[in-house]
Coordinates of all heavy atoms in Angstrom, one line a residue:
M1 N 119.5 93.6 79.3 CA 119.6 93.9 80.7 C 118.2 94.2 81.3 O 118.0 93.8 82.5 CB 120.6 95.0 80.9 CG 121.0 95.2 82.3 SD 122.1 93.8 82.7 CE 122.5 94.2 84.4
A2 N 117.3 94.8 80.5 CA 116.0 95.1 81.0 C 115.3 93.8 81.3 O 114.5 93.7 82.3 CB 115.2 95.9 80.0
R3 N 115.5 92.7 80.5 CA 114.8 91.4 80.8 C 115.3 90.8 82.1 O 114.5 90.2 82.8 CB 115.2 90.5 79.6 CG 114.4 89.3 79.6 CD 114.6 88.4 78.4 NE 114.2 89.1 77.2 CZ 114.6 88.8 76.1 NH1 115.4 87.8 75.9 NH2 114.1 89.5 75.0
M4 N 116.5 91.0 82.5 CA 117.1 90.5 83.7 C 116.4 91.2 85.0 O 116.1 90.5 86.0 CB 118.6 90.7 83.8 CG 119.3 89.8 82.9 SD 118.8 88.0 83.0 CE 119.1 87.6 84.6
F5 N 116.0 92.5 84.8 CA 115.2 93.1 85.9 C 113.8 92.5 86.0 O 113.3 92.3 87.1 CB 115.2 94.6 85.7 CG 116.3 95.3 86.4 CD1 117.6 95.2 85.9 CD2 116.0 96.1 87.5 CE1 118.6 95.9 86.6 CE2 117.1 96.8 88.1 CZ 118.4 96.7 87.7
R6 N 113.2 92.1 84.9 CA 111.9 91.4 85.0 C 112.1 90.0 85.6 O 111.2 89.5 86.3 CB 111.3 91.4 83.6 CG 110.9 92.7 83.1 CD 110.1 92.7 81.9 NE 110.8 92.3 80.6 CZ 111.4 93.0 79.7 NH1 111.3 94.3 79.9 NH2 111.9 92.5 78.7
V7 N 113.3 89.3 85.3 CA 113.5 88.0 85.9 C 113.7 88.2 87.4 O 113.2 87.4 88.2 CB 114.8 87.4 85.2 CG1 115.2 86.2 86.0 CG2 114.5 87.0 83.8
L8 N 114.4 89.2 87.8 CA 114.5 89.5 89.2 C 113.1 89.8 89.9 O 112.9 89.3 91.0 CB 115.4 90.7 89.5 CG 116.9 90.5 89.4 CD1 117.7 91.9 89.4 CD2 117.4 89.7 90.4
G9 N 112.3 90.4 89.2 CA 110.9 90.7 89.6 C 110.2 89.4 89.8 O 109.5 89.2 90.8
F10 N 110.4 88.4 88.9 CA 109.7 87.1 89.0 C 110.2 86.4 90.2 O 109.4 85.8 91.0 CB 110.0 86.3 87.7 CG 109.6 84.8 87.9 CD1 108.3 84.4 87.8 CD2 110.6 83.9 88.2 CE1 108.0 83.1 88.0 CE2 110.3 82.5 88.4 CZ 108.9 82.2 88.3
W11 N 111.6 86.4 90.5 CA 112.1 85.7 91.6 C 111.7 86.3 92.9 O 111.4 85.6 93.9 CB 113.6 85.5 91.5 CG 113.9 84.4 90.5 CD1 114.5 84.6 89.3 CD2 113.6 83.0 90.6 NE1 114.6 83.4 88.6 CE2 114.0 82.4 89.4 CE3 112.9 82.2 91.5 CZ2 113.9 81.1 89.1 CZ3 112.8 80.9 91.2 CH2 113.2 80.3 90.1
T12 N 111.7 87.7 93.0 CA 111.3 88.3 94.2 C 109.8 88.0 94.5 O 109.3 87.9 95.6 CB 111.6 89.8 94.2 OG1 111.0 90.4 93.1 CG2 113.1 90.0 94.3
L13 N 109.0 87.9 93.4 CA 107.5 87.6 93.6 C 107.4 86.2 94.2 O 106.6 85.9 95.1 CB 106.8 87.7 92.2 CG 105.3 87.3 92.3 CD1 104.6 88.2 93.2 CD2 104.8 87.2 90.9
A14 N 108.2 85.2 93.7 CA 108.2 83.8 94.2 C 108.6 83.8 95.6 O 107.9 83.1 96.5 CB 109.1 83.0 93.3
I15 N 109.6 84.5 96.0 CA 110.1 84.6 97.4 C 109.0 85.3 98.3 O 108.7 84.8 99.4 CB 111.4 85.3 97.6 CG1 112.5 84.5 96.9 CG2 111.8 85.5 99.0 CD1 113.8 85.2 96.7
G16 N 108.4 86.3 97.8 CA 107.3 87.0 98.5 C 106.1 86.1 98.8 O 105.5 86.1 99.8
L17 N 105.7 85.4 97.8 CA 104.6 84.4 97.9 C 104.9 83.3 98.9 O 104.1 82.9 99.7 CB 104.2 83.8 96.6 CG 103.5 84.8 95.6 CD1 103.4 84.1 94.2 CD2 102.2 85.3 96.1
M18 N 106.2 82.8 98.9 CA 106.5 81.8 99.9 C 106.6 82.4 101.3 O 106.1 81.7 102.3 CB 107.9 81.2 99.5 CG 107.8 80.3 98.3 SD 109.4 79.4 98.0 CE 110.4 80.7 97.3
A19 N 107.0 83.6 101.4 CA 107.0 84.3 102.7 C 105.6 84.5 103.2 O 105.3 84.3 104.4 CB 107.7 85.6 102.7
L20 N 104.7 84.9 102.3 CA 103.3 85.0 102.7 C 102.6 83.7 103.1 O 101.9 83.7 104.0 CB 102.5 85.6 101.5 CG 101.1 86.1 101.8 CD1 101.1 87.3 102.8 CD2 100.5 86.6 100.5
A21 N 103.0 82.7 102.4 CA 102.5 81.3 102.8 C 103.0 80.9 104.1 O 102.4 80.2 104.8 CB 102.9 80.3 101.7
G22 N 104.2 81.4 104.4 CA 104.9 81.0 105.7 C 104.5 82.0 106.8 O 105.1 81.9 107.9
D23 N 103.5 82.9 106.6 CA 103.0 83.8 107.6 C 104.1 84.8 108.1 O 104.1 85.2 109.2 CB 102.4 83.0 108.8 CG 101.4 83.9 109.6 OD1 100.8 84.8 108.9 OD2 101.3 83.7 110.8
M24 N 104.9 85.2 107.1 CA 105.9 86.2 107.4 C 105.5 87.5 106.6 O 106.0 87.8 105.5 CB 107.3 85.8 107.0 CG 107.8 84.6 107.8 SD 109.5 84.1 107.3 CE 109.1 82.9 106.0
K25 N 104.6 88.2 107.1 CA 103.9 89.3 106.3 C 104.8 90.4 106.0 O 104.8 91.0 104.9 CB 102.7 89.8 107.1 CG 101.6 88.8 107.1 CD 100.4 89.3 107.9 CE 99.2 88.3 107.9 NZ 99.5 87.0 108.2
E26 N 105.7 90.8 107.0 CA 106.6 91.9 106.7 C 107.6 91.6 105.6 O 107.9 92.4 104.7 CB 107.4 92.3 108.0 CG 106.5 92.9 109.1 CD 105.9 91.8 110.0 OE1 106.2 90.6 109.8 OE2 105.1 92.2 110.9
M27 N 108.1 90.4 105.7 CA 109.1 90.0 104.6 C 108.4 89.9 103.3 O 108.9 90.3 102.3 CB 109.7 88.6 104.9 CG 110.6 88.0 103.9 SD 111.2 86.4 104.4 CE 112.0 85.9 103.0
A28 N 107.1 89.4 103.3 CA 106.4 89.3 102.0 C 106.1 90.7 101.4 O 106.3 90.9 100.2 CB 105.1 88.6 102.3
L29 N 105.8 91.6 102.3 CA 105.5 93.0 101.8 C 106.8 93.6 101.2 O 106.8 94.3 100.2 CB 105.0 93.9 102.9 CG 103.5 93.6 103.2 CD1 103.1 94.5 104.5 CD2 102.6 93.9 102.1
L30 N 108.0 93.4 101.9 CA 109.2 93.9 101.4 C 109.5 93.3 100.0 O 109.9 94.0 99.1 CB 110.3 93.5 102.4 CG 111.7 93.9 102.0 CD1 111.9 95.4 101.9 CD2 112.7 93.3 102.9
F31 N 109.3 92.0 99.8 CA 109.6 91.4 98.5 C 108.6 91.8 97.5 O 108.9 91.9 96.3 CB 109.7 89.9 98.7 CG 111.1 89.5 99.1 CD1 111.5 89.4 100.4 CD2 112.0 89.2 98.1 CE1 112.7 89.1 100.8 CE2 113.3 88.8 98.5 CZ 113.7 88.8 99.8
F32 N 107.3 92.0 97.8 CA 106.3 92.5 96.9 C 106.7 93.9 96.4 O 106.5 94.2 95.2 CB 104.9 92.5 97.4 CG 104.4 91.1 97.7 CD1 103.5 90.9 98.6 CD2 104.8 90.0 96.9 CE1 102.9 89.6 98.9 CE2 104.3 88.8 97.1 CZ 103.4 88.5 98.1
F33 N 107.2 94.7 97.3 CA 107.7 96.1 96.9 C 108.9 95.9 95.9 O 108.9 96.7 94.9 CB 108.1 96.9 98.1 CG 108.7 98.2 97.8 CD1 108.0 99.2 97.3 CD2 110.1 98.4 97.9 CE1 108.6 100.4 96.9 CE2 110.7 99.5 97.6 CZ 109.9 100.6 97.1
Q34 N 109.8 95.0 96.2 CA 110.9 94.9 95.3 C 110.5 94.4 93.9 O 111.0 94.7 92.9 CB 111.9 93.9 95.9 CG 112.7 94.4 97.1 CD 113.6 93.4 97.7 OE1 114.0 92.4 97.0 NE2 114.0 93.6 99.0
T35 N 109.5 93.5 94.0 CA 108.9 92.9 92.7 C 108.4 94.1 91.8 O 108.7 94.2 90.6 CB 107.8 91.9 93.0 OG1 108.3 90.8 93.7 CG2 107.1 91.4 91.7
A36 N 107.6 95.0 92.5 CA 107.0 96.1 91.7 C 108.1 97.0 91.2 O 108.1 97.4 90.0 CB 106.1 96.8 92.6
A37 N 109.1 97.3 92.0 CA 110.2 98.1 91.6 C 111.0 97.5 90.4 O 111.3 98.1 89.4 CB 111.1 98.4 92.7
F38 N 111.3 96.2 90.5 CA 112.1 95.5 89.4 C 111.3 95.5 88.1 O 111.8 95.7 87.1 CB 112.5 94.1 89.8 CG 113.7 94.1 90.8 CD1 113.7 93.2 91.8 CD2 114.7 94.9 90.6 CE1 114.8 93.2 92.7 CE2 115.8 94.9 91.4 CZ 115.9 94.0 92.5
V39 N 110.0 95.2 88.2 CA 109.2 95.1 87.0 C 109.1 96.4 86.3 O 109.2 96.5 85.1 CB 107.8 94.4 87.3 CG1 106.9 94.5 86.1 CG2 108.0 93.0 87.7
V40 N 108.8 97.5 87.1 CA 108.7 98.8 86.5 C 110.0 99.2 85.9 O 110.0 99.7 84.7 CB 108.3 99.8 87.6 CG1 108.5 101.2 87.2 CG2 106.8 99.6 88.0
L41 N 111.1 99.0 86.6 CA 112.4 99.3 86.0 C 112.7 98.5 84.8 O 113.4 98.9 83.9 CB 113.6 99.1 87.0 CG 113.6 100.2 88.1 CD1 114.6 99.7 89.2 CD2 114.1 101.5 87.5
G42 N 112.3 97.2 84.8 CA 112.5 96.4 83.6 C 111.8 96.8 82.4 O 112.3 96.5 81.2
Y43 N 110.7 97.5 82.5 CA 109.9 98.0 81.3 C 110.3 99.4 80.9 O 109.7 99.9 80.0 CB 108.5 97.9 81.5 CG 108.0 96.4 81.4 CD1 107.6 95.6 82.4 CD2 107.9 95.9 80.1 CE1 107.2 94.4 82.3 CE2 107.5 94.6 79.9 CZ 107.1 93.8 81.0 OH 106.7 92.5 80.8
M44 N 111.3 100.0 81.6 CA 111.6 101.4 81.3 C 112.6 101.5 80.1 O 112.8 102.6 79.6 CB 112.2 102.1 82.5 CG 111.1 102.4 83.5 SD 111.8 103.3 85.0 CE 112.1 104.8 84.4
N45 N 113.2 100.4 79.8 CA 114.2 100.3 78.7 C 115.3 101.4 78.8 O 115.5 102.2 77.9 CB 113.5 100.4 77.3 CG 112.7 99.2 77.0 OD1 113.1 98.1 77.4 ND2 111.6 99.4 76.3
L46 N 116.0 101.4 79.9 CA 117.1 102.3 80.2 C 118.4 101.8 79.5 O 118.4 100.7 79.0 CB 117.3 102.5 81.7 CG 116.1 103.0 82.5 CD1 116.3 102.9 84.0 CD2 115.7 104.4 82.1
S47 N 119.4 102.5 79.6 CA 120.7 102.0 79.0 C 121.2 100.9 79.9 O 120.9 100.8 81.1 CB 121.7 103.1 78.9 OG 122.1 103.6 80.1
E48 N 122.2 100.1 79.3 CA 122.7 99.0 80.1 C 123.6 99.5 81.3 O 123.5 99.0 82.4 CB 123.6 98.2 79.2 CG 124.0 96.9 79.9 CD 124.6 95.8 78.9 OE1 124.3 95.9 77.8 OE2 125.3 94.9 79.4
R49 N 124.2 100.6 81.1 CA 125.0 101.3 82.2 C 124.1 101.7 83.3 O 124.5 101.5 84.5 CB 125.8 102.4 81.6 CG 126.6 103.1 82.7 CD 127.4 104.3 82.1 NE 128.1 105.1 83.1 CZ 129.3 104.9 83.5 NH1 130.0 103.9 82.9 NH2 129.8 105.6 84.4
T50 N 123.0 102.2 83.0 CA 122.1 102.7 84.1 C 121.5 101.4 84.8 O 121.4 101.5 86.1 CB 120.9 103.4 83.4 OG1 121.4 104.5 82.7 CG2 119.9 104.0 84.5
Y51 N 121.2 100.4 84.1 CA 120.8 99.1 84.8 C 121.8 98.6 85.7 O 121.5 98.1 86.8 CB 120.3 98.1 83.8 CG 118.9 98.3 83.3 CD1 118.7 98.5 81.9 CD2 117.8 98.3 84.1 CE1 117.4 98.7 81.4 CE2 116.5 98.6 83.6 CZ 116.4 98.7 82.3 OH 115.1 98.9 81.8
I52 N 123.1 98.6 85.3 CA 124.2 98.1 86.1 C 124.4 99.0 87.3 O 124.5 98.5 88.4 CB 125.5 98.0 85.3 CG1 125.3 96.9 84.2 CG2 126.6 97.8 86.2 CD1 126.4 96.7 83.3
M53 N 124.3 100.3 87.1 CA 124.4 101.2 88.3 C 123.3 101.0 89.3 O 123.4 101.1 90.5 CB 124.5 102.6 87.8 CG 125.7 103.0 87.0 SD 127.2 102.8 87.9 CE 127.3 104.4 88.7
L54 N 122.0 100.9 88.8 CA 120.9 100.6 89.6 C 121.1 99.3 90.4 O 120.7 99.2 91.6 CB 119.6 100.5 88.8 CG 119.0 101.9 88.4 CD1 117.9 101.6 87.3 CD2 118.5 102.6 89.5
F55 N 121.5 98.3 89.7 CA 121.8 97.0 90.4 C 122.8 97.1 91.5 O 122.6 96.6 92.6 CB 122.1 95.9 89.4 CG 122.2 94.5 90.0 CD1 121.1 93.9 90.4 CD2 123.5 93.9 90.2 CE1 121.2 92.6 91.1 CE2 123.6 92.7 90.8 CZ 122.4 92.0 91.2
W56 N 123.9 97.7 91.2 CA 125.0 97.9 92.2 C 124.4 98.7 93.4 O 124.8 98.4 94.5 CB 126.2 98.6 91.6 CG 127.1 97.6 91.0 CD1 127.2 97.3 89.7 CD2 128.1 96.7 91.8 NE1 128.2 96.2 89.6 CE2 128.7 95.9 90.8 CE3 128.3 96.6 93.1 CZ2 129.6 95.0 91.2 CZ3 129.3 95.7 93.5 CH2 129.9 94.9 92.5
G57 N 123.7 99.8 93.1 CA 123.1 100.5 94.2 C 122.1 99.7 95.1 O 122.2 99.7 96.3
Y58 N 121.4 98.8 94.4 CA 120.4 97.9 95.1 C 121.3 96.9 96.0 O 120.9 96.7 97.1 CB 119.6 97.2 94.1 CG 118.9 96.0 94.7 CD1 117.7 96.2 95.5 CD2 119.3 94.7 94.4 CE1 117.1 95.1 96.0 CE2 118.6 93.6 94.9 CZ 117.5 93.8 95.8 OH 116.8 92.8 96.3
M59 N 122.3 96.4 95.4 CA 123.1 95.4 96.2 C 123.8 96.1 97.4 O 123.8 95.5 98.5 CB 124.2 94.8 95.3 CG 123.6 93.9 94.2 SD 122.5 92.6 94.8 CE 123.7 91.6 95.6
I60 N 124.3 97.2 97.2 CA 125.0 97.9 98.3 C 124.0 98.3 99.4 O 124.2 98.0 100.6 CB 125.7 99.2 97.8 CG1 126.9 98.8 97.0 CG2 126.1 100.1 99.0 CD1 127.6 100.0 96.3
L61 N 122.8 98.8 99.1 CA 121.8 99.1 100.0 C 121.3 97.8 100.7 O 121.2 97.8 102.0 CB 120.6 99.8 99.3 CG 119.5 100.3 100.2 CD1 120.0 101.4 101.1 CD2 118.4 100.8 99.4
S62 N 121.1 96.7 100.0 CA 120.6 95.6 100.6 C 121.6 94.9 101.6 O 121.3 94.4 102.7 CB 120.1 94.5 99.7 OG 121.2 94.1 98.9
F63 N 122.9 94.9 101.2 CA 124.0 94.4 102.0 C 124.1 95.2 103.3 O 124.3 94.7 104.4 CB 125.3 94.2 101.3 CG 125.3 93.1 100.3 CD1 126.1 93.1 99.2 CD2 124.5 92.0 100.5 CE1 126.1 92.1 98.3 CE2 124.5 90.9 99.6 CZ 125.3 91.0 98.5
L64 N 124.1 96.5 103.1 CA 124.2 97.4 104.3 C 123.1 97.2 105.3 O 123.2 97.2 106.5 CB 124.3 98.9 103.9 CG 125.7 99.3 103.3 CD1 125.6 100.7 102.8 CD2 126.7 99.2 104.4
G65 N 121.8 97.1 104.7 CA 120.6 96.9 105.5 C 120.7 95.5 106.2 O 120.4 95.4 107.4
F66 N 121.1 94.5 105.6 CA 121.2 93.2 106.1 C 122.3 93.2 107.2 O 122.1 92.6 108.3 CB 121.6 92.1 105.1 CG 121.8 90.8 105.7 CD1 120.7 90.0 106.0 CD2 123.1 90.2 105.8 CE1 120.9 88.7 106.5 CE2 123.2 89.0 106.4 CZ 122.1 88.2 106.7
T67 N 123.5 93.8 107.0 CA 124.5 93.9 108.0 C 124.0 94.6 109.2 O 124.3 94.2 110.4 CB 125.8 94.5 107.4 OG1 126.2 93.7 106.2 CG2 126.9 94.5 108.4
Y68 N 123.4 95.8 109.0 CA 122.9 96.5 110.1 C 121.9 95.7 111.0 O 122.0 95.7 112.2 CB 122.2 97.9 109.6 CG 121.4 98.6 110.7 CD1 122.1 99.3 111.7 CD2 120.0 98.4 110.8 CE1 121.4 100.0 112.7 CE2 119.3 99.1 111.8 CZ 120.0 99.8 112.7 OH 119.3 100.4 113.7
W69 N 120.9 95.1 110.3 CA 119.9 94.3 111.0 C 120.5 93.2 111.7 O 120.2 93.0 112.9 CB 118.9 93.9 110.0 CG 117.7 93.3 110.7 CD1 117.5 91.9 111.0 CD2 116.6 94.0 111.3 NE1 116.3 91.7 111.7 CE2 115.8 93.0 111.9 CE3 116.2 95.3 111.4 CZ2 114.6 93.4 112.5 CZ3 115.1 95.6 112.0 CH2 114.3 94.7 112.6
S70 N 121.4 92.5 111.1 CA 122.0 91.3 111.8 C 122.9 91.7 112.9 O 123.1 90.9 113.9 CB 122.7 90.4 110.8 OG 123.8 91.0 110.2
F71 N 123.6 92.8 112.9 CA 124.5 93.2 113.9 C 123.9 94.0 115.0 O 124.2 93.8 116.2 CB 125.6 94.1 113.2 CG 126.8 94.3 114.2 CD1 127.7 93.3 114.4 CD2 127.0 95.5 114.8 CE1 128.8 93.5 115.3 CE2 128.1 95.8 115.6 CZ 129.0 94.7 115.9
F72 N 123.0 94.9 114.7 CA 122.4 95.8 115.7 C 121.0 95.4 116.3 O 120.6 95.7 117.3 CB 122.4 97.2 115.3 CG 123.7 97.8 115.1 CD1 124.2 98.1 113.8 CD2 124.5 98.0 116.2 CE1 125.4 98.7 113.7 CE2 125.8 98.6 116.0 CZ 126.2 98.9 114.7
Q73 N 120.2 94.7 115.4 CA 118.8 94.5 115.8 C 118.6 93.1 116.2 O 117.6 92.9 117.1 CB 117.9 94.8 114.6 CG 118.0 96.2 114.1 CD 117.4 97.2 115.1 OE1 116.5 96.9 115.9 NE2 118.0 98.3 115.2
M74 N 119.3 92.1 115.8 CA 119.0 90.7 116.1 C 119.6 90.4 117.5 O 120.7 90.9 117.8 CB 119.5 89.7 115.2 CG 118.8 89.7 113.8 SD 119.5 88.5 112.6 CE 119.0 87.0 113.4
E75 N 118.9 89.6 118.3 CA 119.5 89.2 119.6 C 120.2 87.9 119.5 O 119.9 87.1 118.6 CB 118.4 89.1 120.6 CG 117.6 90.4 120.9 CD 116.5 90.2 121.9 OE1 116.5 89.1 122.6 OE2 115.7 91.1 122.0
V76 N 121.2 87.8 120.3 CA 122.1 86.6 120.2 C 121.4 85.4 120.9 O 120.7 85.4 121.7 CB 123.4 86.8 120.9 CG1 124.3 85.5 120.8 CG2 124.1 88.0 120.2

């Protein structure tokens, strides 16, 4: 499971680099932060249950943030 967090770090780095190339600096910084968090968590060698709980927390937080942003902040 720790290896999957490092894989998530790789993909968030790839997305962050593409966002940076597309001149979307805020999105790139968000994904670079996620990359650092995933890689650090990936090398902590926590229990599998802890990794699953962290991932669920991440998913809930990201879905709530996306829903808030798309419903309240974006203009029609």
Side-chain angles (χ1 to χ4, degrees):
M1 197 68 181
R3 190 176 297 161
M4 288 312 298
F5 268 69
R6 292 191 292 265
V7 170
L8 284 170
F10 168 77
W11 286 112
T12 54
L13 177 64
I15 293 169
L17 289 173
M18 287 187 284
L20 192 61
D23 203 31
M24 295 181 271
K25 291 180 180 46
E26 293 86 5
M27 180 181 166
L29 288 175
L30 177 66
F31 274 87
F32 290 151
F33 172 74
Q34 290 179 19
T35 298
F38 282 140
V39 170
V40 166
L41 285 171
Y43 281 106
M44 289 181 72
N45 290 327
L46 303 170
S47 69
E48 188 164 342
R49 180 179 173 92
T50 304
Y51 279 121
I52 290 172
M53 297 294 278
L54 284 170
F55 184 71
W56 273 100
Y58 167 75
M59 293 305 292
I60 290 170
L61 185 66
S62 64
F63 286 153
L64 285 174
F66 178 78
T67 303
Y68 169 79
W69 188 264
S70 62
F71 191 74
F72 293 112
Q73 298 295 322
M74 291 181 71
E75 295 182 14
V76 179

